[in-house]
Amino acid sequence: DGIFREYDEKGTLRKEKNYRDGALVGSLKVYSEDGKLVSKGKDHELYFTDPRDNQSYPVVTIGEQAWMSARLNYKTSDSYCYQDLELNCDRYGRLYTWNAAKKACPEGWHLPRKVEFETMRAVFGEDDRDIFFSALPVGETVSTYTGIRNDDGYHGQREEENQFSNFWSSTDVGGGLAYSVYVFMSCCDIGAGLDTVYKKDALSVLCVEGDDA
């Protein structure tokens, strides 16, 4: 028990966790490569409750923005449960087409723009893929595989759980495409990046606080 700190090879503090009776308590703190606190709030100290359906979502602060750290599970038209099983919505959140995703976040929150994902990524530096991965999902809630729905049905295998997720951004590419952000973890690598996906496909949604500019 006590406070456990993780340092990089340069001796810079990168993560700080507090354990009591073998359980993580308080907030996971994530630090950038220059030692600045950039993320705090892992352990459900801060929640947002969606007034539309009273579902609650843990919130983490990254840089100067507050992000929901669990996938949105608000039911709208053109949103789906993976494999059409309601228990998967409870576990993973819903999958939304791009047009549905743009309207899905509650008042005072919005679907992140591409630049907001890029800003989040920049907070951690180019060599901080593991730190970025830890801060974005804030644990297992986002790292678990949700799959993708398109015209051919649902895609994703059970063995890919805890390996991959894909989230809509609000930024239009044109030609029926929009930007998304993927997060992955495998036995040998970990990271995140940008992708383009057809708007008619259904992906997961994270919401960021503030009105969309």
Side-chain angles (χ1 to χ4, degrees), residues 151-202:
D151 288 344
D152 297 323
Y154 293 93
H155 299 271
Q157 303 298 320
R158 291 288 297 178
E159 60 265 23
E160 291 181 299
E161 286 192 358
N162 295 311
Q163 290 188 10
F164 182 85
S165 285
N166 207 336
F167 305 95
W168 280 124
S169 85
S170 64
T171 303
D172 193 348
V173 177
L177 297 165
Y179 281 108
S180 70
V181 169
Y182 63 86
V183 181
F184 72 89
M185 178 175 63
S186 69
C187 65
C188 308
D189 203 2
I190 191 169
L194 288 169
D195 199 0
T196 56
V197 180
Y198 284 106
K199 297 176 184 177
K200 62 184 178 181
D201 293 350

Side-chain angles (χ1 to χ4, degrees), residues 110-111 113 116 170 210-213:
H110 65 272
L111 188 66
R113 301 181 296 277
E116 289 176 301
S170 64
D211 295 327
D212 196 9

Side-chain angles (χ1 to χ4, degrees), residues 46-51 55-59 68 106-107 109 209:
L46 181 60
Y47 275 90
F48 170 80
T49 299
D50 190 337
Q55 293 194 73
S56 293
Y57 301 89
V59 175
M68 290 185 188
E107 184 177 358
W109 297 76
E209 191 175 26

Side-chain angles (χ1 to χ4, degrees), residues 105-136:
C105 291
E107 184 177 358
W109 297 76
H110 65 272
L111 188 66
R113 301 181 296 277
K114 172 176 172 279
V115 67
E116 289 176 301
F117 278 113
E118 291 173 332
T119 298
M120 180 204 289
R121 180 66 182 85
V123 167
F124 300 100
E126 289 301 316
D127 297 324
D128 292 343
R129 292 178 298 168
D130 57 333
I131 303 293
F132 174 77
F133 185 85
S134 297
L136 176 61

Side-chain angles (χ1 to χ4, degrees), residues 28-150:
L28 166 70
K29 297 179 180 179
V30 179
Y31 296 84
S32 66
E33 56 189 3
D34 60 0
K36 294 181 180 178
L37 179 65
V38 293
S39 177
K40 180 180 179 181
K42 154 83 165 80
D43 286 337
H44 316 299
E45 287 190 337
L46 181 60
Y47 275 90
F48 170 80
T49 299
D50 190 337
R52 300 172 299 180
D53 59 7
N54 291 319
Q55 293 194 73
S56 293
Y57 301 89
V59 175
V60 61
T61 299
I62 301 175
E64 297 181 355
Q65 288 188 301
W67 292 71
M68 290 185 188
S69 62
R71 302 179 188 91
L72 191 65
N73 190 30
Y74 178 67
K75 188 174 183 178
T76 70
S77 58
D78 294 325
S79 70
Y80 309 90
C81 297
Y82 183 60
Q83 298 289 14
D84 296 322
L85 297 175
E86 196 69 29
L87 62 86
N88 283 334
C89 276
D90 294 337
R91 184 177 183 186
Y92 301 133
R94 301 186 72 85
L95 302 174
Y96 300 82
T97 65
W98 186 71
N99 285 324
K102 289 184 67 180
K103 304 174 183 177
C105 291
E107 184 177 358
W109 297 76
H110 65 272
L111 188 66
R113 301 181 296 277
K114 172 176 172 279
V115 67
E116 289 176 301
F117 278 113
E118 291 173 332
T119 298
M120 180 204 289
R121 180 66 182 85
V123 167
F124 300 100
E126 289 301 316
D127 297 324
D128 292 343
R129 292 178 298 168
D130 57 333
I131 303 293
F132 174 77
F133 185 85
S134 297
L136 176 61
V138 200
E140 72 285 356
T141 53
V142 172
S143 64
T144 305
Y145 186 77
T146 56
I148 296 173
R149 182 187 187 276
N150 60 23

